[in-house]
């Protein structure tokens, strides 16, 4: 039986963060989950092992969390993303020259 990972992504103030992308850090372009309107996500089919997850959303600093998946059942974690503020806005501006 494969592992089930459940999680929630929130802001530093504890508010749910919808639309955050969850991926495995070693392959960040392969999306494995996206948070719902309440900030929750669910991933089934993970093998039992140690894994590092990358959580990112536009306007917030990305976060990487390592988790040891010891159970063949399920585990849960909560990730708090920090608002990037104006820095994120400046990074997304492109100028044509």
């Amino acid at each position: 039986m494969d592992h089930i990972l459940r999680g929630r992504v929130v802001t530093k103030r504890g508010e749910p963060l919808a639309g955050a992308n969850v991926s495995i850090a070693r392959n960040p372009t392969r999306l494995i989950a996206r948070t719902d309107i309440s900030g929750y996500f669910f991933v089934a089919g993970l093998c039992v092992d140690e894994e590092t997850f990358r959580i990112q959303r536009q306007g917030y600093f990305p976060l990487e969390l390592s988790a040891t998946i010891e159970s063949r059942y399920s585990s849960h974690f909560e990730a708090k993303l920090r608002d990037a503020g104006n820095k994120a806005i400046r990074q997304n501006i492109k100028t044509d020259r």
Side-chain angles (χ1 to χ4, degrees):
M1 180 177 191
D2 288 330
H3 189 81
I4 297 170
L5 175 68
R6 300 172 195 274
R8 188 169 192 220
V9 180
V10 297
T11 66
K12 283 288 187 182
R13 294 183 302 250
E15 299 165 343
L17 199 53
N21 294 329
V22 180
S23 60
I24 295 177
R26 60 186 154 80
N27 190 2
T29 59
R30 184 175 172 263
L31 180 68
I32 61 170
R34 180 170 286 138
T35 57
D36 64 15
I37 195 164
S38 299
Y40 289 100
F41 68 90
F42 170 90
V43 181
L46 294 174
C47 296
V48 177
D49 201 353
E50 183 171 350
E51 196 63 77
T52 301
F53 298 94
R54 182 175 176 85
I55 299 118
Q56 57 189 23
R57 184 174 183 276
Q58 186 172 349
Y60 292 82
F61 290 108
L63 178 66
E64 289 191 359
L65 294 173
S66 293
T68 302
I69 302 170
E70 297 175 344
S71 162
R72 288 206 170 267
Y73 302 105
S74 67
S75 62
H76 180 273
F77 72 78
E78 183 172 280
K80 291 184 179 181
L81 294 188
R82 196 175 61 167
D83 188 339
N86 291 337
K87 289 181 182 178
I89 294 169
R90 281 196 297 270
Q91 290 173 352
N92 291 329
I93 295 174
K94 294 182 181 176
T95 26
D96 294 326
R97 292 186 187 229

